[in-house]
Every structure is written in C-alpha cells, then in structure tokens.
Amino acid sequence: MDEAFKFREGEILMYPNPVKTELIVHDIRHALIGKIMIKLLSIQGQLMDEMQTNNTGKEIRIPISDLAKGLCIIQIRDTRGKYLADKFVKE
C-alpha cells in the first residue's frame, strides 16, 4: 500500500488500550472523510467483526465486548482509500 494513503501520526487517536467494552477512535484533525470501513481482526488475521459508518463528528465508538480477549488489529479505511492499521489489547 502506498505510504501517501496512510493517515499521518497525530491525525487519529485510539483509546483506551487495553480496552474492555468500547474502543474510541478520535478523529483529531477531521482526517476521516465519508463512509468509514472498520475491520477487527485477531492477531492471526482472522476477521472477527466488520462494520461501516459515516463519520459524523470527531469520534467513532466501536463496541468490542463480544470479541475474544487478547491482541487484536483494527483496520480503518475511508472513502478516499486512506487507511490506518493498529493493534489494541482486548481485556
């Protein structure tokens, strides 16, 4: 994937980490545009959940209480193709 399509550091913040029930994606610089595709994967790459939302503000709340405990990966992509992939710990 082209580096130009990655979100820059500081544009998006995810918290808390580790997380128990809800992961918050904070769009600090309004970098997410249009429809947002979110995938939650196990560390082995198995798809655990997938959702789509419209970015209507600075925050996207992702319910994760049904996910298995352990290290997970989140992938976020907007309508322009800009993406973010990061890890978080589900408690």
Side-chain angles (χ1 to χ4, degrees):
M1 182 78 36
D2 188 344
E3 291 293 315
F5 285 101
K6 282 188 176 180
F7 288 104
R8 289 188 293 264
E9 189 173 331
E11 287 183 323
I12 297 174
L13 177 66
M14 289 186 295
Y15 59 90
N17 191 8
V19 58
K20 289 184 180 181
T21 59
E22 189 175 63
L23 184 64
I24 299 169
V25 176
H26 189 77
D27 187 2
I28 296 170
R29 299 207 174 134
H30 303 285
L32 294 167
I33 294 177
K35 286 188 179 180
I36 311 300
M37 295 294 302
I38 300 167
K39 291 184 181 181
L40 302 172
L41 304 116
S42 70
I43 197 66
Q44 294 83 18
Q46 178 185 7
L47 182 64
M48 298 178 352
D49 200 359
E50 187 173 28
M51 60 199 75
Q52 184 175 341
T53 186
N54 286 316
N55 187 23
T56 58
K58 293 186 85 169
E59 216 173 68
I60 299 170
R61 293 179 173 267
I62 304 166
I64 62 154
S65 45
D66 292 341
L67 297 183
K69 292 181 180 183
L71 190 58
C72 301
I73 298 170
I74 183 170
Q75 295 178 340
I76 301 171
R77 183 177 305 272
D78 72 5
T79 53
R80 299 170 299 171
K82 287 195 84 169
Y83 74 96
L84 168 76
D86 207 350
K87 297 176 194 159
F88 67 94
V89 176
K90 166 61 168 74
E91 287 189 330

